[in-house]
Amino acid sequence: DLIKLDDPIEKYLPSHVTVPQYNGHKITIEDLATHTSGLPEFPDNYCPSFNPANIEIVDSVQYRTELMNCTKNYTFAQFYQALSNMTLSREPGSKVEYSTFGIGLLGHILTLKSNMSSFDKLLDRNILDVLGMNDTSFGLSESQKSRLAMGHFNGKELPTWNMSSPLAPGGGLHSSVSDMLKFQSA
């Protein structure tokens, strides 16, 4: 076993990273996988202007462009800093709340434990290549870009969302319907 579901996540992170607890209750691998860690959807240092609660701004072309420019250089050092500075408001495992932050962290832990150079390569080796999902990836090829369904807001095309490396496991995949059917079938 690479990891155990009931292990505290600090077991798999560098020693300089402080993992938040709630009244002595630690975040486990299972808490990350089930979105019950108590971590917010995004790290508080992800982008100064980032506010997913304000949907009017989130769907604007200008906001998407600013966000992509702001976050494309988000680093694992910043990711670790956000985790170390985090305060949990409830016991891990007590409530489901979607967390891109938590899934990004889980992807990072799996990558560290597998000795792979990136989550992309880990995913390719263990899932995408095995299932023949050749049209699923984090980055878009020129072929995929030409077939991408573009989002629009007020008649203007929205830029394609590209998540930074630390959060990519939480929502950075692009795929085709054909590949999604392969995944569903498996």
Side-chain angles (χ1 to χ4, degrees):
D1 292 345
L2 278 180
I3 60 170
K4 293 187 173 140
L5 289 174
D6 58 353
D7 276 344
I9 62 172
E10 61 206 31
K11 177 178 179 178
Y12 302 107
L13 294 170
S15 60
H16 72 276
V17 178
T18 303
V19 178
Q21 301 179 20
Y22 185 84
N23 293 338
H25 295 273
K26 297 180 177 187
I27 299 171
T28 66
I29 295 293
E30 183 175 14
D31 295 329
L32 293 178
T34 59
H35 293 279
T36 59
S37 66
L39 295 174
E41 183 169 4
F42 290 94
D44 65 359
N45 66 352
Y46 190 52
C47 184
S49 66
F50 186 57
N51 180 3
N54 190 342
I55 196 70
E56 292 299 318
I57 293 174
V58 170
D59 284 336
S60 76
V61 173
Q62 178 183 352
Y63 177 75
R64 282 270 183 107
T65 303
E66 287 174 7
L67 184 61
M68 285 169 43
N69 289 334
C70 176
T71 62
K72 66 183 171 187
N73 295 320
Y74 189 73
T75 65
F76 281 102
Q78 290 170 298
F79 190 67
Y80 286 153
Q81 180 185 24
L83 183 64
S84 294
N85 293 335
M86 189 57 228
T87 301
L88 297 180
S89 61
R90 66 177 174 276
E91 183 179 325
S94 65
K95 179 183 173 191
V96 174
E97 183 177 3
Y98 189 86
S99 176
T100 300
F101 188 8
I103 295 298
L105 186 56
L106 178 59
H108 181 58
I109 289 170
L110 292 172
T111 303
L112 292 173
K113 286 305 295 175
S114 69
N115 291 319
M116 298 293 290
S117 59
S118 69
F119 185 74
D120 309 36
K121 290 186 180 6
L122 176 65
L123 190 66
D124 284 346
R125 185 188 73 188
N126 290 296
I127 296 175
L128 302 180
D129 292 346
V130 172
L131 299 178
M133 294 175 66
N134 303 319
D135 209 18
T136 300
S137 60
F138 285 100
L140 292 170
S141 68
E142 289 307 313
S143 169
Q144 288 170 315
K145 286 178 186 175
S146 72
R147 296 179 282 120
L148 185 66
M150 296 303 299
H152 289 77
F153 183 73
N154 288 339
K156 293 182 181 172
E157 198 172 275
L158 287 171
T160 304
W161 193 285
N162 290 313
M163 290 191 135
S164 63
S165 184
L167 296 180
L173 273 179
H174 297 277
S175 193
S176 64
V177 173
S178 175
D179 272 10
M180 294 306 298
L181 288 172
K182 290 176 186 177
F183 184 78
Q184 182 182 15
S185 178

